[in-house]
Amino acid sequence: MLELAILGLLQETPMHGYELRKELATKLGTIRAAISYGTLYPTLKRLQAAGWITESASDPTMIPPMTSKRGRVVYKITAEGKERFADLLAQAGPETYDDAGFGVHFAFFSRTDRATRLRILEGRRRRVEERREGLRDVLSRAAGRLDAYTLELQRHGLDAAEREVRWLEELITNERSGRAPAGSAGEFDVPSAEPRQERTAGDASPEPPRPHQDRP
């Protein structure tokens, strides 16, 4: 799955190792992209040996801070690498239904054909439904023998599986009707880092000064 993610990112733009690791976290999420340099660079070397990427020296002034000499190498995808990426995108086997495999493939769904997207979504739904039924079985048969915290953990897992099944069913419905997912980046409200404080009548704290340009 790391191979697919690297080739997909390099198809967008050439990057050095530091940028790749950062973009992997952005694209896939911190948990899925908990990749060390000890894992990343051997994979890059393997892709280079296969002829799917090449490397070249970057502008020394553009080296990111806190990086080693490895940061001087920029990786670029080759024509063969683009073909390899397309082949990987077209795969829809059982490995694409697991948590890590599904997450990586889903991150590049915009470049995947609809038929493949549907196969992966339906396979993932079956996999999560199996997990959900297993958790239901545990709760029905062994709930009386579980301590309160283990029981709560099982319930949490069941809730998460049920939510994902509903999410997958909505995605599958959209794919079958030719619609893109309903949400878009601009529709989500990102909460402020600082909670809003309500003023009360008894709050005597002074108002902040007006901007300098508004003063006489």
Side-chain angles (χ1 to χ4, degrees):
M1 292 302 124
L2 182 57
E3 176 184 320
L4 171 63
I6 290 173
L7 292 175
L9 290 174
L10 291 181
Q11 187 154 304
E12 296 174 357
T13 184
M15 298 183 191
H16 47 64
Y18 176 86
E19 290 175 318
L20 269 171
R21 192 163 180 252
K22 182 179 179 181
E23 288 303 314
L24 284 168
T26 300
K27 190 83 171 177
L28 308 179
T30 304
I31 296 176
R32 289 193 181 99
I35 299 166
S36 67
Y37 288 117
T39 302
L40 177 61
Y41 283 104
T43 304
L44 289 170
K45 292 299 182 184
R46 180 172 58 81
L47 297 181
Q48 186 179 1
W52 296 329
I53 65 173
T54 60
E55 63 178 39
S56 61
S58 65
D59 183 350
T61 63
M62 300 301 292
I63 300 174
M66 306 301 292
T67 58
S68 66
K69 292 182 179 179
R70 284 173 171 170
R72 300 177 185 273
V73 175
V74 172
Y75 298 93
K76 300 179 181 180
I77 193 169
T78 64
E80 292 80 4
K82 292 178 180 180
E83 292 178 2
R84 174 62 176 171
F85 177 65
D87 290 342
L88 291 172
L89 278 186
Q91 295 178 5
E95 70 279 359
T96 66
Y97 311 153
D98 295 330
D99 292 346
F102 175 75
V104 174
H105 274 268
F106 193 84
F108 296 102
F109 257 22
S110 62
R111 304 188 216 172
T112 307
D113 65 88
R114 186 193 300 177
T116 302
R117 291 197 301 261
L118 262 174
R119 287 198 299 272
I120 293 175
L121 289 171
E122 290 170 346
R124 174 64 178 179
R125 180 178 61 181
R126 290 192 299 272
R127 184 65 53 83
V128 179
E129 285 175 339
E130 292 171 359
R131 182 187 304 169
R132 180 188 63 184
E133 295 312 308
L135 289 167
R136 284 177 175 172
D137 186 56
V138 169
L139 286 171
S140 65
R141 291 187 301 103
R145 301 194 303 270
L146 300 176
D147 64 80
Y149 292 99
T150 302
L151 182 61
E152 191 64 25
L153 182 62
Q154 296 295 323
R155 286 174 175 167
H156 173 71
L158 178 59
D159 289 344
E162 289 177 338
R163 286 195 302 271
E164 184 169 356
V165 168
R166 290 194 296 270
W167 174 67
L168 289 165
E169 287 175 344
E170 181 179 351
L171 288 170
I172 290 169
T173 298
N174 287 337
E175 289 291 341
R176 287 174 176 167
S177 61
R179 297 194 305 268
S184 64
E187 295 178 4
F188 295 97
D189 294 327
V190 179
S192 172
E194 297 182 359
R196 182 178 175 182
Q197 296 181 351
E198 298 293 337
R199 296 287 298 277
T200 62
D203 188 354
S205 58
E207 294 185 359
R210 296 173 61 86
H212 178 72
Q213 58 268 29
D214 290 343
R215 296 176 183 171

